[in-house]
Amino acid sequence: MLTIETIQQAPKALLHDHLDGGLRPATVIDLAREFGYDGLPTTDVDELAAWFRRGADRKSLELYLETFTHTVGVLQERDAIVRVAAECAEDLAADGVAYAEVRYAPELSTERGMTLDEVTEANLEGFRIGMERGAAAGHPIVMKMLVTAMRQAARSVEVAECAVRWRDAGVVGFDVAGPEKGYPPTRYLDAFEYIRKENFHITIHAGESFGLPSIWEALQFAGAERLGHGVRIADDVHVRDYGSIELGRLAAFVRDRRVPLEMCPTSNVHTGAVASIADHPIDLLRRLRFRVTVNTDNRLMSGVSMTSEFAALDEAFGIGLGEMEWLTINAMKSAFAPFDERLRLINEVVKPGYARLRSSQSRVVAAAG
C-alpha cells in the first residue's frame, strides 16, 4: 500500500473542487465575526468542522447542499472571497496539488451588492496571492477558475457571459451545479450555446444524483466536454454473472470519446450516490479505461483532501503509484488550460515527480533486500 507521505509528495491534478466547499473552519468563524454573519451553529473550530461533516453525510444531494448556507453566508464581501481563494490555493499546494481548477458560482456572493464580475475578480486575485504563497513555500501550483451557474437560479446566460469576459485572466470554463432532479441541462441551452459560440469550455454536474438521462442531455444537447461526477454512467455498464462486461450505447460513447469523468468518491458516499468507497464504480471504470479522474468536490463538507482520496482508493482497490500517475495524467489531459501549459506540467512536473518517487521506492526495496 502507498504511504500517506508518498501520496502527499506525488504531483496531483484536481478538476472538481468548489471554493465554497473548501473553507478552513477557523476562517468561517473569523469571517462570520468580521462581517456580521450570525447564523453559524457554533463558533468552536473543531465542533464546526464536525458539524459540516455530519451535515453533509446524510445520503442526499439536496441535504448535502444545505450546508453551503453558512459558507456562502460569509462570502459576501470582496476581502472574504480573496482570503478564502488564497487559502484554497495554499491548502491545495501544501497537499501536493500541482494544477487545480476550482469552481465557484459568483451569483452566490451578490447579496450585499457585489456584481458577478467583482466576485470573479476577487476569486482570481485570491488565487494569484495563493499561488505566490505556495511557490514561496516550495509548493508551486497553477490555479484556474471555473465559473458556475446555479441550476435553481435563472442567471445562467449572465454567468456564462461573465465567464467569457474573464477567460484571459484565469477563468478556463463554465459549469452548472446544484440539484439535478427537476433541473436538466436542457433548461440552460442558451447559456451553453453562447459558450460554444465563443469557443469556450463546458463541464456540467451530471450523473451524480440523477441517472443516465442527465448524462445524455449534458453530452448531446449541452455539449459538455467533461462530466462533473458522472458516477451514474455505471448504470450503463453491465457485469454478467460469468464475468464478462457489456457496455450500453451511452457508456460506450463516453469511453470511446474519452469523455473525462470528474469522480469524487467520498462525496458520492455522503450524497448517497454510492454506498461506500469499496462499492464505488471508479474501480470498474478505471479498469475498463474510461477517462477517470479523482477529485475532492468539497473538502470542508466531506473532510477530505486529494491525499486522503487517493489513500482511500489505494486501501479499497490497491491502485498503487502507477495507477495514481495514470489518473493524474488523465486529469491533466482533461484540463481546460491551454495545451502547451498542460503538456509542460505533464512533462516537467507530473512525470518527473512520479519517476523520483518510483526511484525512491526502488532504493528502499533494494536496501531491505
Side-chain angles (χ1 to χ4, degrees), residues 4-26:
I4 293 296
E5 182 182 16
T6 295
I7 297 173
Q8 193 161 32
Q9 289 176 356
K12 293 173 285 291
L14 174 59
L15 302 181
H16 194 119
D17 184 87
H18 291 266
L19 185 75
D20 48 332
L23 283 72
R24 299 171 184 174

Side-chain angles (χ1 to χ4, degrees), residues 196-217:
R196 290 203 300 271
K197 185 184 70 176
E198 294 294 328
N199 301 313
F200 207 35
H201 295 294
I202 298 171
T203 179
I204 301 176
H205 281 69
E208 181 183 11
S209 67
F210 206 65
L212 297 173
S214 175
I215 293 174
W216 183 75
E217 287 193 11

Side-chain angles (χ1 to χ4, degrees), residues 236-247 284 287-288:
D236 203 35
V237 178
H238 311 289
V239 181
R240 303 306 182 193
D241 291 339
Y242 44 86
S244 68
I245 295 173
E246 180 182 345
L247 301 187
L284 173 65
R287 287 188 283 110
L288 292 172

Side-chain angles (χ1 to χ4, degrees), residues 16-18 21 64 205 208 229 264 267 295-299:
H16 194 119
D17 184 87
H18 291 266
Y64 184 95
H205 281 69
E208 181 183 11
H229 296 282
C264 309
S267 173
N295 304 275
T296 51
D297 201 12
N298 298 290
R299 287 168 288 117

Side-chain angles (χ1 to χ4, degrees), residues 178-308:
E180 281 187 79
K181 189 174 182 180
Y183 299 95
T186 46
R187 289 184 57 157
Y188 317 100
L189 291 183
D190 287 350
F192 295 128
E193 182 62 28
Y194 172 76
I195 292 291
R196 290 203 300 271
K197 185 184 70 176
E198 294 294 328
N199 301 313
F200 207 35
H201 295 294
I202 298 171
T203 179
I204 301 176
H205 281 69
E208 181 183 11
S209 67
F210 206 65
L212 297 173
S214 175
I215 293 174
W216 183 75
E217 287 193 11
L219 294 172
Q220 308 304 348
F221 281 95
E225 298 164 68
R226 301 192 322 228
L227 295 173
H229 296 282
V231 66
R232 296 293 295 278
I233 195 64
D235 295 351
D236 203 35
V237 178
H238 311 289
V239 181
R240 303 306 182 193
D241 291 339
Y242 44 86
S244 68
I245 295 173
E246 180 182 345
L247 301 187
R249 292 198 183 277
L250 182 59
F253 178 89
V254 167
R255 186 173 71 166
D256 291 348
R257 291 290 185 96
R258 315 307 296 144
V259 177
L261 304 175
E262 303 166 358
M263 310 208 93
C264 309
T266 299
S267 173
N268 293 155
V269 174
H270 289 167
T271 60
V274 298
S276 68
I277 296 291
D279 294 316
H280 201 287
I282 190 171
D283 182 55
L284 173 65
L285 295 171
R286 76 177 176 90
R287 287 188 283 110
L288 292 172
R289 284 318 194 226
F290 280 75
R291 179 67 70 81
V292 174
T293 69
V294 177
N295 304 275
T296 51
D297 201 12
N298 298 290
R299 287 168 288 117
L300 170 61
M301 281 67 176
S302 288
V304 296
S305 64
M306 282 294 282
T307 293
S308 72

